[in-house]
Amino acid sequence: MSTTSAAEKTAQLEGTAGTDSTTSARNEGEKEGRDPESLKRAHRLWPFRLRPDDDDEPQDWWFASTAIPLLAATTGPMANTLSIAALVTSWRNNYTSSSKEADSIGYPDPHWCIAANAASLACGFIGNFFLLLNFTKRIRYIIALPATIIFWYAATTLLICITALMNEKVPPVAPDQVYSQGFWHAIIAAVLYLVSSMLLMVNMMGYFLGHYPQHFTLTEHQRTLILQTMLFFIWLAGGGAVFAKVCGWRFVDALYFCDVTILTVGFGDYSAPNDAGRGLVFPFSVGGIIILGLMVGSIRRFAMEISHDKVLKHHVEKQRTLTIDRAVSTSIDLRIRQGLADGVRPSISEPFELRERAITFDDAHAAESLRRPKTSLHDDSDPSVPTKFTRRISRTFSRSKREPKVILLREERDRFNAMRAIQRGTRTFKRYTNLGFSLVAFGLLWCVGAAVFMVAEQREQGLSYFEALYFCYVSLLTIGYGDLSPKSNAGKPFFIVWSLIAVPTMTILVSDMGDTVIASFKRGTARLGDWTVLPQAGLWRAFLDKHPWLLLKLQQKVDQHAAKRRLASGFRAPQEDDEAIVASNPTLEQLAAGEPNPHQLARALAIAIRRVADDLQADQPKSYSYEQWVEFTRLIRFSKYSEDEVEEQEETTGIVDWDFIGEDSPMLADETESVWILDRLCESLERYMKRQARESEKLERGMYNGRGREEGRDEIKRS
């Protein structure tokens, strides 16, 4: 009995443990938005959560999954280029006080140093090759990325070891010997290899922890940036080799010359000494500037993508949620808001349904109550003759039926205007946020670069920090006076790396300033010219369209003066029930007045598709007014499938319901308003055509139990 009891207890414990494991996996899966069963299998098979390549679950750690591969793809080829310069240049130079340090002549390095340097360069190239195969998906992520990390760690280890041994065993003897540019190229290459390997390890750790699948989540533009970066450094290193051969320079000096040429700095300390070198400047400079421009454009596009996905969307969601928290559009919303528990954040509003929020009442009962006045003001002898009182009742009743819909349209317009305000604020936030990031990056590169150049050039030029700031500023703006330029063996290699980062950053800063400060100045100048020396046609009308409250006041004044003139001439003033002239932009009252029949809506749908298609050809994306959105919404929703049609035809209705300030707002879509509306209108047209085809098929097959064609049509209309 004791044995059986022990076995039962063991089974109960195992069952409890299995239940706890399943519950833990389920809770973790619900918390992270992943499949609980897949998480349970991953925990059972491996201590990490390895996601397959075709995994389409949500991803996070965007910096590790997107930015790190791009940084590694940039620093890898740069480290390869600097490693080539370290291999082909001796690391120690003979130096005299009467000559410049950069012009000192080197003497051979030990054989073990050259061999280790060559092995380091080979490891760097192999690691970069595996990274390229990883980007192109020629080799699996789980194989290629560890290979890249291992080879780059080997490259940096070899460079660190030989630089340490060189400094310990055979250092240059001061003051007649100094380290050459090759030595400092090796130091910078070792740092780049090390930083790249550590970054890729962070990327691999994110994969092991299940934050993204086993591939680099890069867009086509980002992959193009990687190829452009590799091509740029191939062009730079190849140009250095060609100019070193043609002009009789050392490779490190030719590399510095190519860098100054492509960046259009032009200090003047190096120039081609013969016609062959001068002739090569033409194709090399043009090709290098084109590749650099493409690379800078891709970098800016990548920065815009990151800011849009990670900064702007968070800002829009924050502003939208705050607006919803402050907004109470109906009494129903107020009751829901008051019924929330303390500390519970209000949920995002549901898609706007007009019929659910409309004030409903019985038309017959309302009409009957209106027809029972306490005092009669008309003659009962002839009730068929409409009198002043009955006309007033008719107007009041028709207005009371339209009033709930008008109120709801006004409430929805407030939500629409709130989302428009969020859009305008987001555009401003986007421009000035990008400008802020560019200013911070520019300031860091300027100040930190000046500090490094002050230390590196202290022996050769004795630069103060202010002079170093001046030199960096002139270099950043690619002015290149030539009064100051790097002359030390440490300053030139650092200038190559610093300038390749700083000058594109300055270009992006100028572009961001063009979107903010310069654009504001241009708008102010153009507006001043429009109102003064160069008046623009239709300016006043455009101004009134932007300020509808002023236009409404002026229109009311005009109507009052017109009414007074008609009264003075003996004509009556227009009554409330007089038919108004339909304007090009209908008012909310006109939109709420009535619903056209399906055939009229179908014709309006075709016209709207053509008009929106024309709007796609405009230079600037079209932004529609709320009244236009109401028209588009009516055209989109009139063909909406009923629940029976969805179940019978097994078709999806598409996007027909939304809230302008909700999570499903069309104003939050990635595409423009014209593209989004055109897609929805085409879906509506497709639904309408399918419905017409089904109705025609029913008529032709005689599916109405022997009834006539006219009865079938009547039943279709009633349905």
Side-chain angles (χ1 to χ4, degrees):
M1 181 178 296
S2 61
T3 305
T4 304
S5 177
E8 290 177 354
K9 290 182 178 179
T10 303
Q12 290 177 359
L13 290 174
E14 289 179 355
T16 305
T19 304
D20 293 342
S21 176
T22 304
T23 305
S24 176
R26 186 182 298 110
N27 293 337
E28 188 172 356
E30 292 175 355
K31 180 180 179 180
E32 299 187 6
R34 300 186 177 94
D35 184 15
E37 294 300 326
S38 64
L39 286 176
K40 184 180 176 183
R41 286 195 302 271
H43 282 297
R44 185 186 302 132
L45 298 175
W46 194 261
F48 300 107
R49 296 192 296 270
L50 303 182
R51 296 167 59 174
D53 184 57
D54 57 350
D55 188 358
D56 57 353
E57 293 181 6
Q59 302 179 15
D60 49 10
W61 280 30
W62 64 270
F63 182 82
S65 63
T66 304
I68 283 180
L70 291 175
L71 291 175
T74 302
T75 56
M78 183 185 295
N80 293 154
T81 303
L82 299 180
S83 188
I84 294 173
L87 177 62
V88 300
T89 307
S90 59
W91 285 16
R92 298 166 300 173
N93 285 356
N94 292 317
Y95 173 74
T96 59
S97 58
S98 60
S99 62
K100 296 180 180 179
E101 184 178 293
D103 297 333
S104 56
I105 301 174
Y107 58 92
D109 295 325
H111 294 291
W112 56 265
C113 179
I114 297 175
N117 204 345
S120 173
L121 178 61
C123 290
F125 272 121
I126 294 174
N128 208 21
F129 180 69
F130 273 105
L131 185 65
L132 180 61
L133 293 179
N134 196 354
F135 285 135
T136 57
K137 297 184 179 180
R138 300 295 182 182
I139 299 181
R140 292 178 56 193
Y141 172 92
I142 197 63
I143 298 175
L145 190 63
T148 300
I149 294 173
I150 291 172
F151 279 108
W152 279 358
Y153 265 127
T156 189
T157 301
L158 288 172
L159 287 176
I160 291 174
C161 290
I162 58 179
T163 52
L165 289 174
M166 177 70 73
N167 190 61
E168 180 68 23
K169 300 298 183 181
V170 284
V173 180
D176 297 330
Q177 294 178 347
V178 294
Y179 282 117
S180 68
Q181 296 184 48
F183 176 83
W184 295 108
H185 277 288
I187 294 292
I188 299 175
V191 172
L192 292 177
Y193 281 135
L194 179 62
V195 171
S196 302
S197 303
M198 295 175 67
L199 289 175
L200 290 179
M201 287 189 67
V202 174
N203 179 271
M204 178 164 281
M205 182 178 67
Y207 162 65
F208 282 144
L209 295 178
H211 292 283
Y212 38 81
Q214 53 172 307
H215 59 77
F216 292 131
T217 55
L218 302 177
T219 63
E220 192 65 30
H221 294 300
Q222 293 166 359
R223 296 183 186 276
T224 303
L225 172 60
I226 293 172
L227 297 177
Q228 291 170 350
T229 303
M230 292 184 176
L231 179 61
F232 175 79
F233 284 106
I234 291 174
W235 188 266
L236 182 67
V242 172
F243 278 103
K245 183 68 175 178
V246 172
C247 299
W249 294 331
R250 294 174 299 179
F251 179 77
V252 288
D253 295 330
L255 187 66
Y256 168 78
F257 167 78
C258 292
D259 176 70
V260 172
T261 302
I262 291 177
L263 297 179
T264 66
V265 179
F267 290 123
D269 49 352
Y270 281 87
S271 59
N274 50 44
D275 292 339
R278 296 187 184 101
L280 288 173
V281 168
F282 294 116
F284 175 78
S285 60
V286 171
I289 291 172
I290 291 175
I291 298 173
L292 180 64
L294 293 174
M295 189 172 66
V296 171
S298 298
I299 292 174
R300 187 172 188 272
R301 188 181 298 112
F302 168 65
M304 297 287 287
E305 289 176 356
I306 289 181
S307 64
H308 179 266
D309 295 337
K310 306 304 174 184
V311 179
L312 293 181
K313 287 187 176 180
H314 176 73
H315 175 76
V316 171
E317 183 64 20
K318 180 180 178 181
Q319 295 299 319
R320 189 180 62 84
T321 306
L322 291 175
T323 303
I324 291 176
D325 290 346
R326 294 193 302 265
V328 178
S329 58
T330 64
S331 59
I332 299 176
D333 293 339
L334 181 60
R335 290 195 297 270
I336 294 175
R337 186 69 53 83
Q338 292 174 346
L340 293 173
D342 293 338
V344 178
R345 191 176 188 83
S347 60
I348 303 299
S349 59
E350 296 296 330
F352 181 81
E353 283 289 349
L354 190 62
R355 61 179 178 273
E356 294 179 358
R357 301 168 70 174
I359 303 173
T360 59
F361 53 88
D362 186 6
D363 292 349
H365 180 270
E368 185 65 26
S369 63
L370 289 173
R371 291 193 183 97
R372 289 201 298 264
K374 294 182 179 179
T375 58
S376 178
L377 300 179
H378 65 282
D379 187 6
D380 293 336
S381 60
D382 191 3
S384 62
V385 179
T387 63
K388 181 178 180 181
F389 181 76
T390 56
R391 286 196 299 268
R392 184 180 305 170
I393 289 178
S394 176
R395 290 195 301 269
T396 305
F397 177 60
S398 62
R399 189 167 61 250
S400 64
K401 290 195 298 182
R402 294 195 303 265
E403 186 176 359
K405 188 172 183 179
V406 173
I407 293 174
L408 290 175
L409 288 175
R410 288 172 180 170
E411 292 173 353
E412 191 183 35
R413 182 178 60 183
D414 294 338
R415 302 168 75 85
F416 176 86
N417 293 334
M419 196 63 203
R420 272 280 184 254
I422 292 175
Q423 283 185 322
R424 290 192 296 268
T426 300
R427 285 194 292 267
T428 304
F429 177 81
K430 173 184 177 180
R431 291 193 294 265
Y432 283 95
T433 299
N434 294 335
L435 178 62
F437 285 144
S438 300
L439 283 173
V440 171
F442 171 79
L444 288 175
L445 288 170
W446 185 21
C447 299
V448 175
V452 175
F453 281 117
M454 181 186 68
V455 175
E457 300 293 331
Q458 191 65 39
R459 179 177 177 179
E460 284 294 308
Q461 304 183 67
L463 292 182
S464 63
Y465 187 68
F466 176 77
E467 291 174 330
L469 283 174
Y470 166 78
F471 163 72
C472 290
Y473 186 79
V474 171
S475 302
L476 282 169
L477 295 180
T478 67
I479 298 174
Y481 290 123
D483 52 345
L484 292 177
S485 62
K487 294 181 172 56
S488 65
N489 287 336
K492 286 187 175 181
F494 179 76
F495 178 82
I496 294 174
V497 177
W498 176 83
S499 61
L500 290 176
I501 301 173
V503 173
T505 302
M506 182 64 195
T507 305
I508 296 174
L509 173 62
V510 172
S511 179
D512 292 334
M513 291 181 65
D515 294 338
T516 53
V517 180
I518 299 175
S520 300
F521 180 77
K522 288 175 61 178
R523 287 194 299 269
T525 304
R527 188 172 300 175
L528 180 63
D530 290 340
W531 291 93
T532 55
V533 294
L534 298 173
Q536 184 181 2
L539 181 64
W540 287 102
R541 181 64 188 180
F543 177 78
L544 292 176
D545 290 338
K546 291 181 179 179
H547 301 82
W549 61 272
L550 182 58
L551 179 61
L552 180 61
K553 285 185 175 296
L554 294 177
Q555 189 65 41
Q556 291 176 350
K557 293 291 185 182
V558 172
D559 293 341
Q560 290 175 2
H561 286 298
K564 290 179 180 179
R565 286 196 299 269
R566 286 193 294 271
L567 288 174
S569 302
F571 294 94
R572 65 180 181 88
Q575 301 295 321
E576 294 180 2
D577 55 352
D578 286 344
E579 183 177 359
I581 299 175
V582 179
S584 58
N585 292 326
T587 62
L588 295 183
E589 289 74 12
Q590 294 171 348
L591 292 172
E595 291 289 340
N597 60 54
H599 298 293
Q600 292 174 337
L601 289 173
R603 181 176 179 274
L605 176 61
I607 297 173
I609 290 176
R610 183 178 61 184
R611 187 178 66 183
V612 175
D614 293 337
D615 293 337
L616 289 175
Q617 307 299 323
D619 296 334
Q620 296 295 330
K622 176 76 172 179
S623 295
Y624 298 98
S625 64
Y626 172 72
E627 288 75 15
Q628 292 173 318
W629 267 101
V630 172
E631 286 289 331
F632 291 137
T633 303
R634 178 158 52 186
L635 297 176
I636 293 170
R637 292 178 179 172
F638 90 97
S639 61
K640 177 182 178 181
Y641 291 144
S642 64
E643 295 181 359
D644 296 336
E645 288 177 317
V646 173
E647 183 177 356
E648 178 183 354
Q649 303 297 328
E650 296 182 355
E651 295 180 352
T652 58
T653 300
I655 302 176
V656 294
D657 295 323
W658 60 84
D659 182 5
F660 282 114
I661 202 170
E663 289 180 338
D664 54 357
S665 173
M667 303 169 76
L668 294 176
D670 293 332
E671 62 264 18
T672 62
E673 292 184 17
S674 298
V675 173
W676 193 93
I677 291 174
L678 184 61
D679 290 340
R680 304 291 84 76
L681 291 176
C682 291
E683 291 174 359
S684 179
L685 179 61
E686 183 180 5
R687 292 192 298 267
Y688 177 77
M689 297 301 296
K690 287 182 178 179
R691 180 175 293 167
Q692 293 298 314
R694 288 195 298 267
E695 292 174 355
S696 299
E697 185 178 357
K698 289 180 181 179
L699 286 174
E700 292 176 358
R701 293 183 179 181
M703 297 181 63
Y704 295 98
N705 299 326
R707 286 175 289 178
R709 191 180 184 90
E710 296 298 329
E711 291 187 33
R713 287 200 184 97
D714 294 339
E715 182 167 339
I716 290 176
K717 290 180 180 179
R718 289 195 300 271
S719 62

